[in-house]
Amino acid sequence: MSLPVFKACLLALDYRQGQELSEQGMHQDSSKGTCNQKTRGLLWVWRSVSLAMAAWAGLALFGSAAAEPLSSASAILPSSTEAVVSGGPAGPTPAWIEFCEHQPQECAVDASEPVALSLNQDVWLTILEVNERVNRTILAVTDQDHWGVVDRWNCPDDGLGDCEDIQLLKRRLLVEAGLPRRALQMTVVLGEHGMGHAVLMVHTSHGDFVLDNKRDAVLAWQETGYHYVKREGDDGSTWVWLGGPITPIVTATK
C-alpha cells in the first residue's frame, strides 16, 4: 500500500469513528445527555472531515507543486550579508526536547560537516524551491487544532502542521538534497504581537538566510522584521541565544 493511500485509510477510519460517536450521542435516553453527546459527536465528525479534506488536498497538491516554476522568490544569487551573532547557551523549548527524544535522527549533528554551506546558484535554487514547494503544499494549522495540545514539534507527514513542523520538513528535504544538516538550524523568533514563531536559518558563505512559512521569499535574517531569540547550536548539544534571554515558552502559531 502506498503512503498516500495508507494515510487516506487512516483519515477515513478517523471519520468513521466520528460517525459512531455521533450515532451514540443520538441514542442517549435523557434529553440533556442526548444533546451533549450529539454535540460532541457532531463536532468530532466536523473536525475529522475538515482535517481529512485538508490533508488529502495537501497530498494531492504536493506532486504537482513540485513541477511548477518558482513564482515569487527571486532566483538571483543574493549579495553577501553579515551573519547573525550568537551568545551564550540557551535551553530549547520543552516541545523540542520531546521531539528529539522520539526522533533523535532529526536532531543529530555531524561535527564533521561545515557550519556554513558554500552558496552557489544551484544550492540557492534548491533552497528557494524547497521553501516555496513546502509552503504551497502543507496546510498551516495550530497544534491545538491538529493534536489537541498547545505545542508539539513533528514533521507534517499528514499534510498538516504549524510553523515549526513546516520548517522541519524543509530541513529534511534540504538534507535529502545534499545540504549539510549542521548548517540548517531551527530558530525561535518573536513575530506579530510578540508571539513565538519558528523559522529555519541557513548558514551560508553569503551570510544567514531565513526560510519561513509566512512568505515564499528567502530573506537575509536582518530583512524579516523578526526579533531573534535563540537557535540550535553548531554542535547540536544545546541552543544559543541570539537576542538575549527573553523567550516564549511555546512556538504554537501557524
Side-chain angles (χ1 to χ4, degrees), residues 43-245:
L43 287 174
W44 186 284
V45 171
W46 175 84
R47 178 178 178 274
S48 297
V49 171
S50 298
L51 291 180
M53 292 177 64
W56 180 258
L59 290 170
L61 285 172
F62 194 84
S64 60
E68 295 180 8
L70 293 171
S71 60
S72 60
S74 172
I76 300 174
L77 198 65
S79 301
S80 296
T81 183
E82 294 182 1
V84 65
V85 177
S86 60
T93 65
W96 168 262
I97 296 174
E98 184 178 0
F99 170 70
C100 292
E101 290 175 350
H102 289 90
Q103 301 193 51
Q105 74 282 0
E106 296 287 345
C107 305
V109 173
D110 184 353
S112 67
E113 290 184 335
V115 174
L117 60 86
S118 179
L119 191 62
N120 56 41
Q121 189 68 43
D122 289 340
V123 170
W124 182 244
L125 289 174
T126 298
I127 293 171
L128 295 179
E129 190 273 333
V130 167
N131 186 63
E132 187 165 338
R133 173 159 56 101
V134 174
N135 285 352
R136 288 177 182 174
T137 54
I138 301 300
L139 180 67
V141 298
T142 65
D143 288 329
Q144 191 66 56
D145 290 337
H146 194 185
W147 302 110
V149 297
V150 174
D151 196 20
R152 172 177 172 175
W153 289 45
N154 197 30
C155 290
D157 295 329
D158 60 356
L160 307 171
D162 67 353
C163 54
E164 70 272 358
D165 306 328
I166 294 172
Q167 311 319 320
L168 286 169
L169 176 57
K170 292 175 185 177
R171 183 168 75 165
R172 178 191 288 177
L173 293 175
L174 289 171
V175 170
E176 290 176 356
L179 276 63
R181 184 190 302 273
R182 194 180 184 195
L184 310 171
Q185 297 176 337
M186 295 294 294
T187 304
V188 173
V189 301
L190 296 181
E192 300 87 348
H193 311 296
M195 297 295 292
H197 182 55
V199 298
L200 182 64
M201 184 175 291
V202 182
H203 298 297
T204 81
S205 55
H206 282 54
D208 295 337
F209 296 88
V210 171
L211 281 67
D212 192 354
N213 65 297
K214 294 182 180 294
R215 59 171 66 94
D216 287 338
V218 177
L219 302 178
W221 68 274
Q222 307 98 319
E223 299 174 347
T224 63
Y226 290 137
H227 173 78
Y228 290 83
V229 179
K230 57 184 178 179
R231 63 165 173 79
E232 291 179 83
D234 295 336
D235 60 2
S237 62
T238 186
W239 286 43
V240 294
W241 293 114
L242 298 179

